[in-house]
Amino acid sequence: MKPALFSVLCEIKEKTGLSIRGAQEEDPPDPQLMRLDNMLLAEGVSGPEKGGGSAAAAAAAAASGGSSDNSIEHSDYRAKLTQIRQIYHTELEKYEQACNEFTTHVMNLLREQSRTRPISPKEIERMVGIIHRKFSSIQMQLKQSTCEAVMILRSRFLDARRKRRNFSKQATEILNEYFYSHLSNPYPSEEAKEELAKKCSITVSQVSNWFGNKRIRYKKNIGKFQEEANLYAAKTAVTAAHAVAAAVQNNQTNSPTTPNSGGYPPSCYQSDGRLQ
DNA sequence: CAGAATGATTCTTC
DNA sequence: GAAGAATCATTCTG
């Protein structure tokens, strides 16, 4: 239920002493309207503003332009969303005010007329109901077009394929390290994914995507990745052996690039090239 | 600028 | 549901 509208009706009730039961006849919640409401709420267009107040929203839009991280490409989106939100709210306010004014106007007219002819509460209720429904349908249209605007905005700005950014060098380093040191079973558990995600400052599903892509691409062309495999094999081996190596450094005169040699091509693929 | 690399999505399969 | 496979859309590189 729309709070503002409700309070308007309560006000009318106070002034006129009439029941507003009639106004609640929208009880069977229109699924279409519920869908719109839910979406607007989910998108943060309606509902409580984060931080509160439109000033905060404007400040957030301004601040996001100044922040240096990956939110730069989102600043445009945020700004546009804020714009939509503001338009939505001012329009909504306008409608509610108009509804209020119009209802009061009609009530006054009816009261005038009640001096000259008897007017049943039923009739008043009916009038209020008509007005309410009329403005509800206008609100519905507003919500509809706001939803459309948000959808368009989303598809334009938040389609990840449009705004793809390569992961940082450091992140791919970490992911590759894990991949090549678990080549026999390059399927990180949920916990491992979470840890990798945290280390790389990416999401878990991005980690999943990365491993999905990596596995398929590695398998498709093992030869192409041989060099990379050796590199990371050496790297992880060196890291693992680092503490020990320091102690026995004096006899490290053998091959530097094959501390973990012989493991590649790895044994995780069967003769037909499929993952085990 | 063409082609490779890469992250994300979609569809299929199990 | 997750993994594989194909594909898309963007970014990087020579």
Side-chain angles (χ1 to χ4, degrees), chain A residues 208-257:
Chain A
S208 298
N209 286 341
W210 190 92
F211 273 88
N213 283 322
K214 191 71 184 182
R215 280 192 300 263
I216 195 82
R217 283 164 186 166
Y218 180 82
K219 162 164 117 175
K220 253 183 170 170
N221 193 350
I222 295 178
K224 197 168 70 181
F225 290 93
Q226 195 63 58
E227 207 178 328
E228 194 176 67
N230 288 335
L231 188 88
Y232 281 100
K235 183 178 294 195
T236 50
V238 165
T239 328
H242 193 265
V244 184
V248 293
Q249 199 176 359
N250 47 351
N251 69 348
Q252 289 265 317
T253 51
N254 55 354
S255 159
T257 58

Side-chain angles (χ1 to χ4, degrees), chain A residues 37 59 82 109 125 150 167 190 201 223 275:
Chain A
D37 275 336
T82 304
L109 277 180
E125 235 175 82
V150 172
F167 296 155
E190 206 52 40
S201 334
L275 276 169

Side-chain angles (χ1 to χ4, degrees), chain A residues 1-3 5-6 9 20-31 33-34 37 129 132-137 139-140 143:
Chain A
M1 175 102 200
K2 287 132 252 152
L5 209 51
F6 185 78
L9 289 169
I20 62 160
R21 256 179 297 116
Q24 291 172 331
E25 271 166 18
E26 62 166 347
D27 246 357
D30 183 352
L33 185 62
M34 291 233 323
D37 275 336
H132 179 213
R133 274 192 293 279
K134 201 76 197 162
F135 278 89
S136 272
S137 79
Q139 268 196 349
M140 176 92 139
K143 285 176 181 178

Side-chain angles (χ1 to χ4, degrees), chain A residues 44-57:
Chain A
V45 174
S46 66
E49 267 181 76
K50 289 162 231 147
S54 56

Side-chain angles (χ1 to χ4, degrees), chain A residues 152-198:
Chain A
I152 291 167
L153 190 67
R154 274 186 82 83
S155 69
R156 176 150 308 175
F157 282 88
L158 290 190
D159 183 346
R161 287 203 285 206
R162 288 186 200 282
K163 288 285 173 190
R164 181 177 74 73
R165 295 231 43 100
N166 287 358
F167 296 155
S168 71
K169 202 108 168 75
Q170 201 177 3
T172 33
E173 193 95 335
I174 292 165
L175 294 167
N176 272 317
E177 253 168 52
Y178 188 98
F179 181 80
Y180 286 112
S181 61
H182 296 74
L183 250 187
S184 58
N185 184 34
Y187 299 86
S189 66
E190 206 52 40
E191 297 85 60
K193 281 183 195 171
E194 276 168 30
E195 196 179 326
L196 284 168
K198 205 158 91 179

Side-chain angles (χ1 to χ4, degrees), chain A residues 1-8 33 36-37 40-41 45-49 83-101 132 134-146:
Chain A
M1 175 102 200
K2 287 132 252 152
L5 209 51
F6 185 78
S7 69
V8 166
L33 185 62
L36 292 175
D37 275 336
L40 289 174
L41 205 60
V45 174
S46 66
E49 267 181 76
Q83 205 178 332
I84 289 176
R85 201 218 318 271
Q86 278 169 354
I87 290 169
Y88 172 77
H89 277 122
T90 53
E91 288 297 302
L92 203 60
E93 214 169 297
K94 249 195 276 179
Y95 290 158
E96 277 167 4
Q97 198 182 338
C99 182
N100 183 9
E101 278 170 14
H132 179 213
K134 201 76 197 162
F135 278 89
S136 272
S137 79
I138 295 173
Q139 268 196 349
M140 176 92 139
Q141 280 173 25
L142 172 68
K143 285 176 181 178
Q144 181 107 46
S145 52
T146 305

Side-chain angles (χ1 to χ4, degrees), chain A residues 19-82:
Chain A
S19 160
I20 62 160
R21 256 179 297 116
Q24 291 172 331
E25 271 166 18
E26 62 166 347
D27 246 357
D30 183 352
Q32 169 91 358
L33 185 62
M34 291 233 323
R35 209 170 51 79
L36 292 175
D37 275 336
N38 286 340
M39 183 187 156
L40 289 174
L41 205 60
E43 295 298 330
V45 174
S46 66
E49 267 181 76
K50 289 162 231 147
S54 56
S64 63
S67 69
S68 56
D69 66 350
N70 64 348
S71 68
I72 288 172
E73 62 260 32
H74 284 179
S75 69
D76 248 11
Y77 172 79
R78 284 174 193 284
K80 287 263 197 297
L81 191 63
T82 304

